[in-house]
């Protein structure tokens, strides 16, 4: 096992590692705004997949095949959010469910997920 520091910003939150370990998705907090980023670990390059907005991300996760990002986003920290899915390298987020609290977790075979 090798431990590698992935960011020096001090503003990263809610991180998830892709199933193959090559990408990391994280939330970047900048004052009242938050954005969603994907880092390619081997090349240490970052791509912003969702621009800064006045929202609160409550969790992020990769799909079992590593092709999609699931995230829970709310208008503020006092409310439940909505679960969205989008391609790893960006695109239009698609609403999956309303009133979700925290990130989802997938079953080992990837056919089901659990949520609060």
């Amino acid at each position: 096992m090798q431990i590698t520091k992935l960011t020096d910003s001090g503003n990263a939150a809610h991180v998830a590692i892709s199933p193959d370990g090559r990408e990391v998705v994280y939330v970047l907090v900048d004052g009242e705004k938050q954005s969603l980023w994907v880092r390619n670990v081997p090349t240490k390059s970052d791509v912003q997949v969702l621009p800064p907005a006045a929202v609160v991300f409550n969790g992020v996760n990769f799909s079992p095949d590593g092709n999609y990002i699931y995230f829970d986003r709310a208008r503020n920290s006092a409310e439940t959010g909505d679960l969205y899915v989008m391609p790893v390298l960006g695109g239009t987020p698609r609403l999956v469910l309303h009133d979700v609290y925290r990130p989802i977790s997938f079953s080992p075979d990837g056919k089901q997920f659990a949520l609060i």
Side-chain angles (χ1 to χ4, degrees), residues 16-89:
I17 302 171
S18 66
D20 64 4
R22 295 184 53 84
E23 283 89 25
V24 173
V25 61
Y26 63 94
V27 174
L28 188 65
V29 180
D30 186 14
E32 298 292 318
K33 295 188 175 185
Q34 297 185 7
S35 54
L36 197 60
W37 293 75
V38 172
R39 170 170 269 219
N40 181 276
V41 176
T43 65
K44 298 180 182 171
S45 59
D46 297 288
V47 175
Q48 184 182 69
V49 294
L50 281 179
V55 297
V56 175
F57 287 89
N58 293 317
V60 295
N61 206 343
F62 281 93
S63 61
D65 63 8
N67 292 324
Y68 295 92
I69 300 167
Y70 285 81
F71 59 91
D72 171 13
R73 182 173 66 186
R75 288 180 293 174
N76 61 58
S77 60
E79 65 181 37
T80 58
D82 294 326
L83 178 66
Y84 292 88
V85 62
M86 68 183 290
V88 167
L89 294 179

